[in-house]
Amino acid sequence: MNWSEFFAMNGYGFYVWGSYGVALLVFIVEILMVRHRRTLALRQLRLLNESGEA
Amino acid sequence: MRLAINWFKYSAPTTFYGLAGKLIPFFAWPAAILFALGLYIGFFVAPTDAVQSEAYRIMFIHVPASILSMFIYLIMAGYAALGLIFKTRLSSMMASALAPTGALFAFISLWTGALWGKPMWGAWWVWDARLTSELILLFLYLGFIALQASIEDPRRADRASALLAIVGSVNVPIIYYSVQWWNTLHQGSSIKFSGTSMHVAMQQSMFTVLVACWLYVIAVVLARVRSIILERESNTQWVKELAETKQ
């Protein structure tokens, strides 16, 4: 089996890679969103701390 | 009672925040390794299916995602109920942290199911009992998230969304038994306690991806709950004294 055959998935390539591609995308987007939420939460806390000290 | 006190120590956001941070890599790295291993077995070891050709390989993500979309819901409803009964802050925060991940797994289940359904059934979607109840599960997750977002006071939001989560949990056994209770287009489980009709490499792949997904869920939910703790406890002294909130 060569690589082009592998990616063709015997004619089901669109369905198979469409499934795994979107699942992978969902995981990546979720990880980025979780990291972004932490950045926002920490930024908010630093602002609170600054205003508390001033 | 000493033991009980020690256990409850970790139900306080103060101690759980640090513990969760330390635990994340121990779940995240095995998750990544097991995903790679499970998909390697699924694509390079498992043979082509006699009936479904290569399209059946979608099952290696479809089945684990579907199982987890149901399990996460039950765990979320369980935490929400604990928060409602014992008024433990961390339980409600865990329920909030689980909801987006559960919704994403329900989405992956529906999406991969549609991409399998089109070549195998000739339709992206049918209003079959299994598919419809899984769609309702996605809406329950979205309803839970929307309800929490719509109520200003977090404690009231916790109570209202907990009720929704608990009532909605009836849907999980409906999804699970739908293929037996109704005459559905969706097939029943191929893996049974009494023996299985699947090739061993297919089972190994599905099981490995399932474990990988579980570990991924734990890691990502622990990471999310840490932010929720910071957001909700922002007025407390211990959060103000955390090293990461200093410049």
Side-chain angles (χ1 to χ4, degrees), chain A residues 15-28, chain B residues 61 111-112 115:
Chain A
Y15 304 102
V16 173
W17 303 121
S19 295
Y20 284 95
V22 169
L24 182 68
L25 193 70
V26 165
F27 292 142
I28 291 170
Chain B
I61 185 71
W111 177 269
T112 55
L115 280 169

Side-chain angles (χ1 to χ4, degrees), chain A:
Chain A
M1 186 184 67
N2 60 41
W3 284 105
S4 66
E5 257 179 58
F6 176 75
F7 286 113
M9 279 284 138
N10 200 17
Y12 296 105
F14 171 77
Y15 304 102
V16 173
W17 303 121
S19 295
Y20 284 95
V22 169
L24 182 68
L25 193 70
V26 165
F27 292 142
I28 291 170
V29 168
E30 185 179 27
I31 291 166
L32 291 177
M33 279 170 64
V34 164
R35 288 177 67 164
H36 182 65
R37 188 166 181 174
R38 178 162 171 86
T39 310
L40 287 184
L42 288 177
R43 189 182 298 162
Q44 189 67 30
L45 286 168
R46 283 185 196 124
L47 285 173
L48 273 175
N49 267 354
E50 269 176 28
S51 62
E53 283 159 18

Side-chain angles (χ1 to χ4, degrees), chain A residues 9-10 12, chain B residues 47-57 59 116 119-121 187 190 197-199 202:
Chain A
M9 279 284 138
N10 200 17
Y12 296 105
Chain B
T48 304
D49 188 75
V51 182
Q52 302 181 12
S53 180
E54 307 296 342
Y56 92 95
R57 294 188 202 274
M59 289 303 120
W116 181 88
M120 291 297 121
W121 293 344
Q187 70 183 70
S190 299
S197 56
M198 271 167 89
H199 190 277
M202 296 179 188

Side-chain angles (χ1 to χ4, degrees), chain B residues 53-132:
Chain B
S53 180
E54 307 296 342
Y56 92 95
R57 294 188 202 274
I58 294 171
M59 289 303 120
F60 300 137
I61 185 71
H62 176 74
V63 173
S66 308
I67 292 173
L68 278 179
S69 71
M70 294 189 281
F71 260 116
I72 293 170
Y73 192 91
L74 292 179
I75 296 164
M76 179 185 88
Y79 271 122
L82 281 178
L84 192 66
I85 298 163
F86 299 110
K87 313 243 179 302
T88 40
R89 288 170 297 161
L90 186 61
S91 312
S92 302
M93 292 180 199
M94 281 300 289
S96 309
L98 281 156
T101 304
L104 290 174
F105 274 89
F107 169 76
I108 293 174
S109 162
L110 292 166
W111 177 269
T112 55
L115 280 169
W116 181 88
K118 185 62 183 169
M120 291 297 121
W121 293 344
W124 301 103
W125 180 263
V126 287
W127 291 101
D128 149 300
R130 174 55 72 79
L131 280 68
T132 309

Side-chain angles (χ1 to χ4, degrees), chain B:
Chain B
M1 284 306 289
R2 276 191 66 88
L3 187 71
I5 291 162
N6 283 337
W7 276 110
F8 275 111
K9 190 180 151 207
Y10 288 103
S11 69
T14 329
T15 36
F16 190 75
Y17 178 84
L19 178 72
K22 286 195 197 84
L23 287 176
I24 291 167
F26 292 99
F27 292 101
W29 286 110
I33 293 163
L34 288 180
F35 264 123
L37 178 68
L39 293 181
Y40 174 79
I41 299 170
F43 280 97
F44 297 103
V45 182
T48 304
D49 188 75
V51 182
Q52 302 181 12
S53 180
E54 307 296 342
Y56 92 95
R57 294 188 202 274
I58 294 171
M59 289 303 120
F60 300 137
I61 185 71
H62 176 74
V63 173
S66 308
I67 292 173
L68 278 179
S69 71
M70 294 189 281
F71 260 116
I72 293 170
Y73 192 91
L74 292 179
I75 296 164
M76 179 185 88
Y79 271 122
L82 281 178
L84 192 66
I85 298 163
F86 299 110
K87 313 243 179 302
T88 40
R89 288 170 297 161
L90 186 61
S91 312
S92 302
M93 292 180 199
M94 281 300 289
S96 309
L98 281 156
T101 304
L104 290 174
F105 274 89
F107 169 76
I108 293 174
S109 162
L110 292 166
W111 177 269
T112 55
L115 280 169
W116 181 88
K118 185 62 183 169
M120 291 297 121
W121 293 344
W124 301 103
W125 180 263
V126 287
W127 291 101
D128 149 300
R130 174 55 72 79
L131 280 68
T132 309
S133 52
E134 180 74 21
L135 183 65
I136 291 170
L137 183 73
L138 176 62
F139 290 154
L140 282 168
Y141 279 123
L142 298 179
F144 181 91
I145 296 166
L147 187 61
Q148 285 211 323
S150 68
I151 301 174
E152 194 81 33
D153 174 22
R155 302 299 294 157
R156 278 190 57 220
D158 284 342
R159 285 198 294 274
S161 57
L163 283 177
L164 173 75
I166 294 162
V167 173
S169 59
V170 245
N171 187 46
V172 173
I174 294 178
I175 302 171
Y176 187 77
Y177 290 109
S178 58
V179 289
Q180 296 168 27
W181 290 346
W182 291 283
N183 187 12
T184 56
L185 188 55
H186 194 290
Q187 70 183 70
S189 177
S190 299
I191 301 173
K192 297 184 181 71
F193 290 113
S194 54
T196 170
S197 56
M198 271 167 89
H199 190 277
V200 68
M202 296 179 188
Q203 291 176 56
Q204 281 169 349
S205 170
M206 213 174 264
F207 184 74
T208 310
V209 175
L210 178 66
V211 176
C213 285
W214 255 126
L215 297 171
Y216 167 83
V217 169
I218 296 169
V220 84
V221 168
L222 287 177
R224 188 181 290 114
V225 83
R226 270 161 61 87
S227 296
I228 295 176
I229 291 172
L230 291 181
E231 288 161 15
R232 292 221 195 159
E233 307 264 299
S234 58
N235 54 351
T236 60
Q237 197 55 39
W238 76 269
V239 168
K240 286 189 182 116
E241 282 165 5
L242 278 176
E244 54 257 51
T245 66
K246 305 273 190 284
Q247 296 296 10

